């Protein structure tokens, strides 16, 4: 058990029978009334996100989630196959468990697989990953307003918005948490 005031991003907690990962949190201390903590939590079993507000000072239970470093090998159509680099043991994870992460998975990527009570509940990708641009629309002449963006497609087939100067064949860095362009590699 720990105090809600000690909550941190990435922490896993058990609340109302579910296991959540803290996506965001904010301590709020209004002028009147008692302080509280606003959180954005991701349910690790259903992959849904919800916002929950806790009163300051309450106790939460930490979820005992085991994490293992594995390398992504391939997708066989129904499962994603990962391998432990130390034991060479392979693990299959159903496609349904990786709906959010799948568009950004690329072969040989090291990921963190999370287990809770013997069941795989999720995969954490590295925070920023480099990808090759395989398709980029050409920039329209005169479209140079500040912050102008265009659609690009990366090697995994994922499509996102990027600045007009990004061209096919370039390496770019994407923030995996939100799937957005970060910078050139």
């Amino acid at each position: 058990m720990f105090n809600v005031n000690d909550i941190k991003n990435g922490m896993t907690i058990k609340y109302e029978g579910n296991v959540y990962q803290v996506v965001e949190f904010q301590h709020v201390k209004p002028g009147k009334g008692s302080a509280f903590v606003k959180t954005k939590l991701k349910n690790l079993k259903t992959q849904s996100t919800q916002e929950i507000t806790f009163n300051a000072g309450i106790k939460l239970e930490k979820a005992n989630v085991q994490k293992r470093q594995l390398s992504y090998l391939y997708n066989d159509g129904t499962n994603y196959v990962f391998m432990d680099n130390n034991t060479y043991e392979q693990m299959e994870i159903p496609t349904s468990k990786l709906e959010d992460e799948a568009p950004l998975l690329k072969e040989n990527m090291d990921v963190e697989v999370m287990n809770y009570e013997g069941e795989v509940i999720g995969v954490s990708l590295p925070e920023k990953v480099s990808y090759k641009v395989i398709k980029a629309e050409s920039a329209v002449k005169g479209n140079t307003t500040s912050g102008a963006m265009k659609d690009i497609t990366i090697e995994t087939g994922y499509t996102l918005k990027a600045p007009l100067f990004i061209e096919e064949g370039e390496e770019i860095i994407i923030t995996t948490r939100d799937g957005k362009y970060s910078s050139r590699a």
Side-chain angles (χ1 to χ4, degrees):
M1 298 289 268
F2 68 97
N3 193 314
V4 73
N5 295 333
D6 299 329
I7 205 163
K8 303 259 185 285
N9 286 342
M11 191 179 266
T12 52
I13 62 170
K14 200 171 179 183
Y15 180 68
E16 293 182 347
N18 292 314
V19 180
Y20 294 97
Q21 184 170 27
V22 178
V23 178
E24 291 176 11
F25 72 96
Q26 178 183 12
H27 292 279
V28 180
K29 192 168 184 171
K32 268 187 171 176
S34 60
F36 57 91
V37 179
K38 286 175 71 172
T39 62
K40 188 180 215 179
L41 303 175
K42 181 178 182 181
N43 186 321
L44 293 176
K45 290 190 179 179
T46 65
Q47 301 301 312
S48 63
T49 305
Q50 64 188 90
E51 293 185 9
I52 299 175
T53 302
F54 298 102
N55 289 328
I58 70 162
K59 300 278 186 199
L60 291 174
E61 187 179 346
K62 226 176 188 178
N64 189 15
V65 175
Q66 287 85 34
K67 298 177 180 181
R68 286 176 59 191
Q69 283 290 125
L70 300 177
S71 291
Y72 170 61
L73 296 178
Y74 60 91
N75 179 357
D76 67 7
T78 56
N79 294 311
Y80 287 90
V81 181
F82 296 86
M83 180 181 72
D84 187 318
N85 289 330
N86 298 325
T87 64
Y88 302 109
E89 171 190 346
Q90 290 189 2
M91 173 190 281
E92 293 182 353
I93 301 175
T95 306
S96 61
K97 294 236 184 226
L98 301 178
E99 289 175 357
D100 294 341
E101 296 86 358
L104 296 173
L105 268 176
K106 69 179 192 177
E107 290 183 5
N108 300 321
M109 177 188 278
D110 287 332
V111 299
E112 201 170 63
V113 177
M114 296 178 283
N115 289 301
Y116 180 70
E117 295 179 349
E119 179 187 352
V120 174
I121 55 171
V123 171
S124 291
L125 303 178
E127 188 176 335
K128 293 188 178 188
V129 180
S130 176
Y131 296 92
K132 185 174 182 141
V133 177
I134 58 167
K135 183 180 169 198
E137 295 177 0
S138 53
V140 179
K141 189 173 184 178
N143 187 4
T144 56
T145 59
S146 67
M149 305 289 258
K150 66 180 181 180
D151 288 328
I152 63 167
T153 305
I154 59 172
E155 60 191 287
T156 63
Y158 180 68
T159 303
L160 67 145
K161 297 274 188 201
L164 297 175
F165 56 80
I166 299 297
E167 301 293 331
E168 273 183 39
E170 278 191 70
E171 289 275 331
I172 63 166
I173 295 175
I174 295 176
T175 306
T176 58
R177 188 175 4 95
D178 57 10
K180 293 184 179 175
Y181 170 84
S182 177
S183 64
R184 282 181 163 154

